[in-house]
Amino acid sequence: MTNVRRIVVYFVRTGSTDDRVLQELFAARFGVHTMVDLIPLPRFYYDGIELECDLFCGAPVTHAEQESSATHRFDLCMTARDAWLSIASDATALADTLSALRVFLARFDFDSSNVLAEHWMASTEDLPAAISMPGLGEGFDALAIVNAGAAPGPVRGRFRLLRDVPVSGSVTHCDDSVLVVRQAPAEAWLQVRPAGSATGLVDGTRVSMARMAEQLSEMNLQFADVVKQTAHYVGD
């Protein structure tokens, strides 16, 4: 259990104490150096399911830091080769939060060029504010921010940064999709969002898979090299 660096918990909220209880249960089992990111969903695609977890493993934590203010919270766990970061911010203070975050990361010799993975989520009410921000890493698609639903809550972000390794980032706009590529010498992170002429779940999935296949081929990789794939979608 000591190698579990992050747990992304998808769950159906049933009460006002669910978030606190889940945080406490996972912390008691995995320890304080395992980040727990809660993502509430209106429902799952399989009847009867109320909880699903993605576990990400890595090297042991060598150092951990936190920073809190009236409008934001940063949690950073560092290893010898990378860092795992989770943040929460008031939607009205996102610009100040990102500025403070860059200063916070600089204390540990990290900057935007080290950001490999970047995931954001915001409530329906806060999406307009969230999609106006520039993001943290190089290459960012604001319209890929996940809608966390109607329940109020902070704008949340989760990231993985590589230590002493530059990450190149790019955004490609196609007729049917937007592709974000973050690439380091030994690993990469891809994000595809169907757009434009790609409409509907089936067409959007087909376009996303095609774009990923093309990009992987350009990098001399294939789907067998993919370690983790996550799909956010709206179903019927």
Side-chain angles (χ1 to χ4, degrees), residues 94-170:
L94 274 173
D96 290 339
T97 293
L98 283 172
S99 295
L101 180 58
R102 293 187 177 95
V103 173
F104 173 74
L105 291 174
R107 291 168 47 197
F108 312 104
D109 297 322
F110 289 110
D111 60 31
S112 60
S113 68
N114 300 119
V115 181
L116 184 68
E118 179 167 359
H119 302 268
W120 290 90
M121 58 180 288
S123 69
T124 304
E125 181 181 358
D126 291 336
L127 270 179
I131 63 176
S132 66
M133 68 175 176
L136 181 62
E138 297 184 0
F140 180 66
D141 177 16
L143 293 182
I145 294 173
V146 174
N147 187 338
V155 177
R156 297 185 182 275
R158 61 186 192 275
F159 314 82
R160 180 166 167 255
L161 298 87
L162 303 184
R163 180 172 294 283
D164 301 323
V165 176
V167 178
S168 63
S170 64

Side-chain angles (χ1 to χ4, degrees), residues 153-218:
V155 177
R156 297 185 182 275
R158 61 186 192 275
F159 314 82
R160 180 166 167 255
L161 298 87
L162 303 184
R163 180 172 294 283
D164 301 323
V165 176
V167 178
S168 63
S170 64
V171 181
T172 303
H173 294 264
C174 305
D175 291 339
D176 54 12
S177 60
V178 178
L179 171 67
V180 177
V181 178
R182 303 255 179 94
Q183 189 169 6
E187 53 188 313
W189 180 76
L190 309 181
Q191 181 186 74
V192 184
R193 176 175 59 84
S197 60
T199 59
L201 183 59
V202 174
D203 194 28
T205 301
R206 184 181 296 111
V207 164
S208 297
M209 298 298 286
R211 290 290 167 268
M212 283 188 282
E214 292 169 0
Q215 182 60 40
L216 289 170
S217 179
E218 288 184 17

Side-chain angles (χ1 to χ4, degrees), residues 53-85:
C53 301
D54 288 344
L55 276 68
F56 297 83
C57 298
V61 171
T62 58
H63 187 65
E65 287 282 346
Q66 293 181 343
E67 178 178 299
S68 296
S69 75
T71 57
H72 72 252
R73 177 185 172 93
F74 306 149
D75 292 278
L76 181 69
C77 286
M78 291 167 278
T79 78
R81 62 182 300 267
D82 59 9
W84 304 76
L85 169 69

